[in-house]
């Protein structure tokens, strides 16, 4: 059996903080891609949240196996998929290892209805029942969510945002008297969603680059949203190779910082 986490703990671990192509990019010789600062090396964005002795995985991109090995993800009791882009969902099959480590436990996967419909199309072999032929396949219960719900002892609230044409959600997590929100891919945050983000202890928000982009926040717009939300601490993620970690961190307002792969934030 896989080991459990400390009872009562609420921690946020960044498994990856890069954009869809990761950093360094294949074949790129820019200064960021050639940087010796390990914080400038970014796997595709994902996170692991400890909720007492349970583990919640936020997204499952193509780097998931390497991330779980490198950053020591001990167990996965549930998964939340923000949207159906490859860099956030196409490593989902690797969750099956946790079914085995956890004694055949069926793991729920939460997402918006449109996202889950796409997951079923991409992974038609996934079920919540063991394969009758004994094949090694994930044991997953797909659970559509559209409003706040309870899971793993926490209150989880999907945060609808605009990011291209696909249904996309961030997630607010309230646990042990603390709260965090994770929005890795966003271009516009609707007013109704901003209202759902009041009183946060930690905000994790997309910041792609300085130049305009049709589906991601720029540095300027990400900071502006962070100011509006007013979380006690804000960390930016889903970064491109346009941004050096150290240089960006030095430019940010007080209370804001830059996430990096392997960073642990303890909330409670």
């Amino acid at each position: 059996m896989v080991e459990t986490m400390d009872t009562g703990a609420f921690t946020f671990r960044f498994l990856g903080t890069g954009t869809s192509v990761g950093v360094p990019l294949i074949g790129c010789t820019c200064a960021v891609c050639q940087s010796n600062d390990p914080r400038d090396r970014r796997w595709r964005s994902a996170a692991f949240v400890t909720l007492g002795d349970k583990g919640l995985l936020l997204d499952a991109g193509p780097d998931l196996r390497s991330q779980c090995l490198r950053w020591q993800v001990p167990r996965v009791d549930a998964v939340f998929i923000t949207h159906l882009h490859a860099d956030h969902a196409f490593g989902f099959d690797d969750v099956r290892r946790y079914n085995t480590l956890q004694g055949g436990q069926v793991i729920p996967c939460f997402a918006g209805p449109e996202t889950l419909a796409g997951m079923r199309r991409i992974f038609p072999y996934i079920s919540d029942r063991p394969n009758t032929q004994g094949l090694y396949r994930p044991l997953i219960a797909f659970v559509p969510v559209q409003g706040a719900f309870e899971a793993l002892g926490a209150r989880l609230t999907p945060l609808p945002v605009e990011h291209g044409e696909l249904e996309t959600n961030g997630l607010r997590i309230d646990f042990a008297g603390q709260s965090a929100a994770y929005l890795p891919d966003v271009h516009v945050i609707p007013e109704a969603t901003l209202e759902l983000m009041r009183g946060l202890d930690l905000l994790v928000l997309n910041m792609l680059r300085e130049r305009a982009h049709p589906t991601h926040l720029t540095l300027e717009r990400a900071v502006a949203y962070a100011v509006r939300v007013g979380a006690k601490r804000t960390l930016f993620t889903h970064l491109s190779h346009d941004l050096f970690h150290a240089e960006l961190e030095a430019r940010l307002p007080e209370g804001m910082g830059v996430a990096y792969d392997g960073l642990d934030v303890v909330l409670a």
Side-chain angles (χ1 to χ4, degrees), residues 50-69:
T50 298
L51 300 166
D53 61 354
K54 304 296 183 183
L56 171 64
L57 179 65
L58 302 179
D59 283 337
D63 298 320
L64 182 62
R65 177 181 176 276
S66 296
Q67 291 167 330
C68 289
L69 290 169

Side-chain angles (χ1 to χ4, degrees), residues 116-127:
L116 280 192
M119 292 288 287
R120 291 181 182 278
R121 290 194 302 271
I122 295 167
F123 302 102
Y125 55 88
I126 290 180
S127 170

Side-chain angles (χ1 to χ4, degrees), residues 84 111-121 144-146 165-169:
L84 204 58
E114 179 183 306
T115 299
L116 280 192
M119 292 288 287
R120 291 181 182 278
R121 290 194 302 271
V145 292
Q146 291 183 289
E165 298 179 356
L166 288 177
E167 172 191 70
T168 306
N169 287 291

Side-chain angles (χ1 to χ4, degrees), residues 212-225:
H213 191 279
T215 62
H216 290 276
L217 288 175
T218 61
L219 189 160
E220 180 180 8
R221 294 183 64 235
V223 168
Y225 271 129

Side-chain angles (χ1 to χ4, degrees), residues 33-139:
C33 286
Q34 299 298 311
S35 171
N36 291 322
D37 186 340
R39 298 172 300 179
D40 288 326
R41 305 188 71 85
R42 302 163 183 145
W43 271 321
R44 270 65 73 92
S45 291
F48 175 70
V49 181
T50 298
L51 300 166
D53 61 354
K54 304 296 183 183
L56 171 64
L57 179 65
L58 302 179
D59 283 337
D63 298 320
L64 182 62
R65 177 181 176 276
S66 296
Q67 291 167 330
C68 289
L69 290 169
R70 177 67 179 89
W71 306 123
Q72 301 178 12
V73 174
R75 63 180 298 120
V76 172
D77 294 282
V79 184
F80 183 86
I81 301 294
T82 59
H83 63 298
L84 204 58
H85 282 159
D87 55 319
H88 292 263
F90 281 18
F92 187 77
D93 183 85
D94 283 321
V95 174
R96 60 182 168 157
R97 176 60 180 155
Y98 292 99
N99 295 127
T100 301
L101 290 172
Q102 292 158 207
Q105 172 188 342
V106 176
I107 296 173
C109 175
F110 303 107
E114 179 183 306
T115 299
L116 280 192
M119 292 288 287
R120 291 181 182 278
R121 290 194 302 271
I122 295 167
F123 302 102
Y125 55 88
I126 290 180
S127 170
D128 61 356
R129 298 181 181 181
N131 185 272
T132 57
Q133 297 174 314
L135 299 176
Y136 186 29
R137 294 177 174 175
L139 290 171

